[in-house]
Amino acid sequence: GALAEQKKFFGYNASFRYPLHGGIQVLPDALAARLKPGQLCTGARVRAVDLREKIALIDGLGEVKYEKLVNTLPLVDFLDLAGPLPAAVRAARKKLRYNTVYNLNIGVKRANMSEKHWVYFPEKKYPFYRVGYTSNFSKGMAPKGCSSLYIEVARRGGLPVDIPTLENEILRGLRSSGVLKDSDKLATKAWLPIRCGYVVYDFDRPPSVNAIFGHLGKIGVESIGRYGGWKYSFMEETILDGKRCAERLLGISAGPGSTSTAELKPLK
Protein backbone atom coordinates (compact mmCIF):
# COMPACT_ATOMS: atom_id res chain seq x y z
CA GLY A 1 0.00 0.00 0.00
CA ALA A 2 2.94 2.35 0.53
CA LEU A 3 4.45 1.68 -2.90
CA ALA A 4 1.45 1.95 -5.19
CA GLU A 5 -1.80 3.84 -5.54
CA GLN A 6 -4.51 1.92 -3.69
CA LYS A 7 -8.26 2.00 -4.12
CA LYS A 8 -8.86 -0.44 -1.27
CA PHE A 9 -9.22 0.91 2.24
CA PHE A 10 -7.49 -1.10 4.97
CA GLY A 11 -8.17 -1.55 8.65
CA TYR A 12 -11.20 -1.56 10.90
CA ASN A 13 -11.25 2.25 11.00
CA ALA A 14 -10.88 3.05 7.29
CA SER A 15 -14.25 4.74 7.73
CA PHE A 16 -15.89 5.72 10.98
CA ARG A 17 -18.56 7.85 12.58
CA TYR A 18 -17.85 10.64 15.04
CA PRO A 19 -20.16 12.96 17.01
CA LEU A 20 -20.67 16.43 15.55
CA HIS A 21 -20.45 18.04 18.97
CA GLY A 22 -18.94 17.14 22.35
CA GLY A 23 -16.27 14.74 21.19
CA ILE A 24 -16.37 11.00 21.81
CA GLN A 25 -17.35 11.71 25.43
CA VAL A 26 -20.97 11.92 24.28
CA LEU A 27 -20.93 8.14 23.74
CA PRO A 28 -20.45 7.13 27.41
CA ASP A 29 -22.63 10.07 28.44
CA ALA A 30 -25.49 8.70 26.31
CA LEU A 31 -25.12 5.26 27.89
CA ALA A 32 -25.01 6.74 31.40
CA ALA A 33 -28.16 8.78 30.70
CA ARG A 34 -30.12 5.53 30.53
CA LEU A 35 -29.40 4.77 34.19
CA LYS A 36 -31.53 5.82 37.11
CA PRO A 37 -30.19 8.65 39.29
CA GLY A 38 -27.72 7.34 41.85
CA GLN A 39 -26.95 4.10 40.00
CA LEU A 40 -23.57 5.35 38.83
CA CYS A 41 -20.88 6.78 41.07
CA THR A 42 -17.79 8.28 39.41
CA GLY A 43 -14.63 9.83 40.81
CA ALA A 44 -14.57 7.36 43.72
CA ARG A 45 -11.12 5.78 43.91
CA VAL A 46 -10.84 2.12 44.90
CA ARG A 47 -8.22 1.77 47.64
CA ALA A 48 -8.31 -1.98 48.30
CA VAL A 49 -10.31 -5.10 47.51
CA ASP A 50 -10.60 -7.99 49.96
CA LEU A 51 -11.19 -10.94 47.64
CA ARG A 52 -11.82 -13.36 50.50
CA GLU A 53 -14.44 -11.27 52.32
CA LYS A 54 -15.72 -9.70 49.06
CA ILE A 55 -15.38 -6.13 50.28
CA ALA A 56 -14.09 -3.12 48.33
CA LEU A 57 -12.78 -0.03 50.12
CA ILE A 58 -13.83 3.01 48.10
CA ASP A 59 -13.25 6.72 48.69
CA GLY A 60 -16.49 8.40 49.71
CA LEU A 61 -18.37 5.11 50.04
CA GLY A 62 -16.31 3.23 52.62
CA GLU A 63 -16.56 -0.57 52.68
CA VAL A 64 -18.79 -1.90 49.92
CA LYS A 65 -19.88 -5.54 50.04
CA TYR A 66 -20.24 -7.26 46.68
CA GLU A 67 -21.46 -10.56 45.28
CA LYS A 68 -19.88 -10.26 41.84
CA LEU A 69 -17.11 -7.85 40.94
CA VAL A 70 -16.37 -6.46 37.47
CA ASN A 71 -12.96 -4.84 37.08
CA THR A 72 -12.05 -2.44 34.27
CA LEU A 73 -8.92 -1.02 35.90
CA PRO A 74 -5.62 -1.95 34.25
CA LEU A 75 -5.08 -5.54 35.33
CA VAL A 76 -1.75 -4.76 36.99
CA ASP A 77 -3.34 -2.02 39.11
CA PHE A 78 -6.23 -4.22 40.17
CA LEU A 79 -3.92 -7.05 41.21
CA ASP A 80 -1.76 -4.61 43.18
CA LEU A 81 -4.69 -3.44 45.32
CA ALA A 82 -6.57 -6.78 45.59
CA GLY A 83 -5.81 -9.74 47.79
CA PRO A 84 -5.16 -12.28 49.02
CA LEU A 85 -3.71 -13.80 45.84
CA PRO A 86 -1.98 -17.16 45.33
CA ALA A 87 1.76 -17.10 44.73
CA ALA A 88 1.24 -18.26 41.13
CA VAL A 89 -1.01 -15.27 40.40
CA ARG A 90 1.43 -12.82 42.01
CA ALA A 91 4.23 -14.29 39.90
CA ALA A 92 2.10 -14.00 36.74
CA ARG A 93 1.34 -10.36 37.51
CA LYS A 94 5.07 -9.53 37.59
CA LYS A 95 5.39 -10.77 34.00
CA LEU A 96 2.77 -8.39 32.57
CA ARG A 97 4.38 -5.60 30.54
CA TYR A 98 2.96 -2.45 28.99
CA ASN A 99 3.90 0.80 27.27
CA THR A 100 2.85 4.20 28.54
CA VAL A 101 1.41 6.70 26.04
CA TYR A 102 2.18 10.37 26.65
CA ASN A 103 -0.54 12.25 24.80
CA LEU A 104 -0.02 15.97 24.18
CA ASN A 105 -3.08 17.85 22.93
CA ILE A 106 -2.60 21.26 21.34
CA GLY A 107 -4.78 23.93 19.79
CA VAL A 108 -3.25 25.88 16.94
CA LYS A 109 -4.43 29.25 15.64
CA ARG A 110 -4.61 28.06 12.05
CA ALA A 111 -7.50 26.35 10.30
CA ASN A 112 -7.31 23.39 7.91
CA MET A 113 -3.78 22.37 8.84
CA SER A 114 -4.14 19.03 7.07
CA GLU A 115 -6.65 16.93 5.16
CA LYS A 116 -5.62 13.84 7.17
CA HIS A 117 -7.25 12.39 10.25
CA TRP A 118 -3.99 10.96 11.61
CA VAL A 119 -0.46 10.34 10.34
CA TYR A 120 2.16 7.86 11.58
CA PHE A 121 5.83 8.81 11.97
CA PRO A 122 8.08 5.73 12.00
CA GLU A 123 11.34 7.69 11.67
CA LYS A 124 13.62 7.62 14.70
CA LYS A 125 14.31 11.35 14.41
CA TYR A 126 10.80 12.14 15.63
CA PRO A 127 9.92 11.57 19.31
CA PHE A 128 6.26 10.84 18.47
CA TYR A 129 4.78 7.95 16.53
CA ARG A 130 1.41 9.51 15.65
CA VAL A 131 -0.14 12.92 15.08
CA GLY A 132 -3.91 13.22 14.78
CA TYR A 133 -6.17 16.10 13.79
CA THR A 134 -9.27 15.90 15.98
CA SER A 135 -10.71 19.00 14.33
CA ASN A 136 -10.90 16.91 11.15
CA PHE A 137 -13.08 14.38 12.99
CA SER A 138 -15.59 17.16 13.61
CA LYS A 139 -15.55 20.93 13.12
CA GLY A 140 -16.94 21.18 16.64
CA MET A 141 -13.58 20.04 18.04
CA ALA A 142 -11.95 23.45 17.56
CA PRO A 143 -13.02 27.11 17.48
CA LYS A 144 -13.39 28.75 14.10
CA GLY A 145 -10.02 29.55 12.57
CA CYS A 146 -8.21 26.96 14.72
CA SER A 147 -7.17 23.32 14.59
CA SER A 148 -6.88 20.75 17.36
CA LEU A 149 -4.20 18.05 17.34
CA TYR A 150 -3.09 15.17 19.50
CA ILE A 151 0.49 13.91 19.52
CA GLU A 152 1.35 10.49 20.94
CA VAL A 153 4.68 9.32 22.36
CA ALA A 154 5.24 5.80 23.69
CA ARG A 155 7.67 4.79 26.42
CA ARG A 156 8.25 1.53 28.24
CA GLY A 157 5.98 1.36 31.27
CA GLY A 158 7.63 2.43 34.49
CA LEU A 159 10.40 4.50 32.93
CA PRO A 160 10.67 8.09 34.22
CA VAL A 161 9.89 10.82 31.67
CA ASP A 162 10.79 14.50 31.88
CA ILE A 163 7.58 16.08 30.56
CA PRO A 164 8.93 19.65 29.91
CA THR A 165 11.89 18.22 27.96
CA LEU A 166 9.64 15.85 26.02
CA GLU A 167 7.27 18.71 25.19
CA ASN A 168 10.11 20.76 23.70
CA GLU A 169 11.26 17.75 21.68
CA ILE A 170 7.72 17.24 20.37
CA LEU A 171 7.34 20.88 19.29
CA ARG A 172 10.71 20.78 17.53
CA GLY A 173 9.68 17.57 15.78
CA LEU A 174 6.36 19.05 14.70
CA ARG A 175 8.16 22.01 13.13
CA SER A 176 10.87 19.94 11.45
CA SER A 177 8.26 17.57 10.00
CA GLY A 178 6.20 20.44 8.63
CA VAL A 179 3.18 19.80 10.81
CA LEU A 180 3.75 23.19 12.46
CA LYS A 181 4.94 26.32 10.71
CA ASP A 182 7.33 28.70 12.41
CA SER A 183 4.55 31.30 12.32
CA ASP A 184 2.01 29.04 14.08
CA LYS A 185 0.84 30.09 17.53
CA LEU A 186 -0.50 27.69 20.14
CA ALA A 187 -3.87 28.60 21.62
CA THR A 188 -3.78 25.89 24.30
CA LYS A 189 -2.08 22.64 25.30
CA ALA A 190 -2.92 19.80 27.66
CA TRP A 191 -1.16 16.56 28.60
CA LEU A 192 -3.29 13.41 28.89
CA PRO A 193 -0.94 10.53 29.75
CA ILE A 194 -2.26 6.96 29.56
CA ARG A 195 -0.11 4.89 31.90
CA CYS A 196 -1.12 1.49 30.52
CA GLY A 197 -1.53 2.59 26.94
CA TYR A 198 -0.59 -0.62 25.13
CA VAL A 199 -0.24 -4.16 26.43
CA VAL A 200 3.00 -5.84 25.32
CA TYR A 201 2.18 -9.12 23.59
CA ASP A 202 5.28 -11.10 24.52
CA PHE A 203 5.60 -14.85 25.17
CA ASP A 204 4.84 -14.36 28.88
CA ARG A 205 1.47 -12.74 28.31
CA PRO A 206 -0.71 -15.79 27.35
CA PRO A 207 0.24 -18.09 30.28
CA SER A 208 0.19 -15.16 32.69
CA VAL A 209 -3.30 -13.90 31.83
CA ASN A 210 -4.61 -17.48 31.71
CA ALA A 211 -3.36 -18.10 35.25
CA ILE A 212 -4.76 -14.78 36.50
CA PHE A 213 -8.18 -15.03 34.84
CA GLY A 214 -8.48 -18.67 35.82
CA HIS A 215 -8.16 -17.72 39.49
CA LEU A 216 -10.36 -14.61 39.26
CA GLY A 217 -13.12 -16.62 37.60
CA LYS A 218 -13.18 -19.06 40.51
CA ILE A 219 -13.76 -16.27 43.06
CA GLY A 220 -16.47 -14.35 41.20
CA VAL A 221 -14.38 -11.60 39.60
CA GLU A 222 -14.71 -10.51 35.96
CA SER A 223 -11.89 -8.43 34.47
CA ILE A 224 -12.90 -6.98 31.12
CA GLY A 225 -12.22 -4.31 28.51
CA ARG A 226 -8.98 -3.07 27.02
CA TYR A 227 -7.39 -2.59 30.43
CA GLY A 228 -9.10 -5.16 32.62
CA GLY A 229 -8.83 -7.78 29.87
CA TRP A 230 -5.16 -6.84 29.34
CA LYS A 231 -5.43 -6.76 25.56
CA TYR A 232 -5.44 -4.50 22.54
CA SER A 233 -8.99 -3.45 21.72
CA PHE A 234 -11.04 -0.48 20.63
CA MET A 235 -14.18 1.28 21.88
CA GLU A 236 -16.70 -0.89 20.05
CA GLU A 237 -15.17 -4.11 21.37
CA THR A 238 -14.93 -2.70 24.90
CA ILE A 239 -18.61 -1.77 24.89
CA LEU A 240 -19.47 -5.27 23.71
CA ASP A 241 -17.26 -6.70 26.47
CA GLY A 242 -19.46 -4.90 28.97
CA LYS A 243 -22.64 -6.12 27.28
CA ARG A 244 -21.48 -9.75 27.22
CA CYS A 245 -20.34 -9.52 30.85
CA ALA A 246 -23.77 -8.20 31.89
CA GLU A 247 -25.41 -11.07 30.00
CA ARG A 248 -23.23 -13.61 31.80
CA LEU A 249 -24.00 -12.11 35.20
CA LEU A 250 -27.73 -12.08 34.43
CA GLY A 251 -27.67 -15.60 33.01
CA ILE A 252 -28.83 -14.41 29.59
CA SER A 253 -27.87 -16.58 26.64
CA ALA A 254 -25.74 -14.80 24.05
CA GLY A 255 -26.31 -17.38 21.34
CA PRO A 256 -26.89 -16.79 17.61
CA GLY A 257 -29.49 -14.13 16.95
CA SER A 258 -29.29 -12.63 20.44
CA THR A 259 -27.39 -9.55 19.30
CA SER A 260 -29.62 -6.81 17.96
CA THR A 261 -28.64 -5.11 14.70
CA ALA A 262 -31.26 -2.38 15.11
CA GLU A 263 -30.05 1.19 14.86
CA LEU A 264 -29.35 2.85 18.21
CA LYS A 265 -31.56 5.89 18.68
CA PRO A 266 -31.09 8.72 21.19
CA LEU A 267 -33.31 8.92 24.23
CA LYS A 268 -36.28 11.27 23.96
Side-chain angles (χ1 to χ4, degrees):
L3 300 178
E5 189 69 26
Q6 293 287 339
K7 294 183 179 180
K8 180 180 178 180
F9 293 100
F10 294 91
Y12 68 90
N13 53 6
S15 63
F16 61 92
R17 296 182 179 185
Y18 197 85
L20 288 175
H21 305 286
I24 206 62
Q25 180 65 35
V26 301
L27 182 58
D29 286 350
L31 294 172
R34 297 169 182 263
L35 299 174
K36 296 178 181 178
Q39 277 189 292
L40 183 66
C41 180
T42 60
R45 183 174 180 177
V46 179
R47 296 291 179 176
V49 178
D50 188 325
L51 298 172
R52 180 181 289 120
E53 300 297 329
K54 294 190 174 182
I55 296 175
L57 181 62
I58 304 174
D59 284 354
L61 300 175
E63 292 186 351
V64 177
K65 185 76 174 178
Y66 68 85
E67 294 179 12
K68 297 286 186 178
L69 179 67
V70 179
N71 170 60
T72 59
L73 283 170
L75 186 59
V76 290
D77 293 341
F78 175 71
L79 295 175
D80 287 346
L81 59 81
L85 294 170
V89 173
R90 293 197 300 271
R93 180 262 177 265
K94 293 180 180 179
K95 295 180 180 180
L96 300 179
R97 296 174 57 228
Y98 60 90
N99 289 330
T100 295
V101 173
Y102 293 90
N103 190 335
L104 175 61
N105 294 260
I106 61 174
V108 182
K109 295 181 179 180
R110 176 162 60 97
N112 305 317
M113 292 180 62
S114 172
E115 62 179 8
K116 309 296 184 183
H117 287 90
W118 56 84
V119 179
Y120 290 94
F121 290 80
E123 298 92 340
K124 290 184 178 181
K125 63 182 178 179
Y126 300 121
F128 42 81
Y129 65 88
R130 178 164 55 193
V131 173
Y133 299 84
T134 45
S135 48
N136 285 352
F137 297 1
S138 165
K139 292 181 180 179
M141 296 299 290
K144 187 176 181 179
C146 297
S147 299
S148 58
L149 292 75
Y150 65 89
I151 304 98
E152 295 180 323
V153 177
R155 293 289 186 269
R156 182 179 298 178
L159 290 181
V161 171
D162 185 327
I163 293 297
T165 299
L166 179 58
E167 184 175 307
N168 289 333
E169 292 174 353
I170 288 173
L171 294 176
R172 283 197 298 269
L174 292 175
R175 291 189 178 95
S176 67
S177 66
V179 172
L180 285 181
K181 298 179 179 178
D182 290 338
S183 58
D184 281 333
K185 295 182 179 180
L186 300 188
T188 187
K189 59 184 178 181
W191 279 97
L192 293 174
I194 307 172
R195 193 172 68 83
C196 293
Y198 290 97
V199 168
V200 175
Y201 276 71
D202 56 13
F203 290 114
D204 286 326
R205 179 191 171 276
S208 297
V209 297
N210 287 340
I212 293 167
F213 292 149
H215 174 70
L216 294 180
K218 293 177 182 177
I219 58 175
V221 176
E222 297 257 6
S223 194
I224 65 170
R226 179 181 178 119
Y227 303 109
W230 204 248
K231 60 183 180 179
Y232 176 83
S233 68
F234 38 89
M235 286 182 294
E236 296 90 336
E237 183 182 13
T238 298
I239 292 172
L240 289 174
D241 277 355
K243 177 178 181 292
R244 296 183 188 111
C245 179
E247 290 170 342
R248 289 194 298 271
L249 295 178
L250 293 171
I252 299 174
S253 174
S258 65
T259 301
S260 172
T261 58
E263 181 181 358
L264 288 176
K265 297 182 179 179
L267 294 175
K268 295 182 180 179

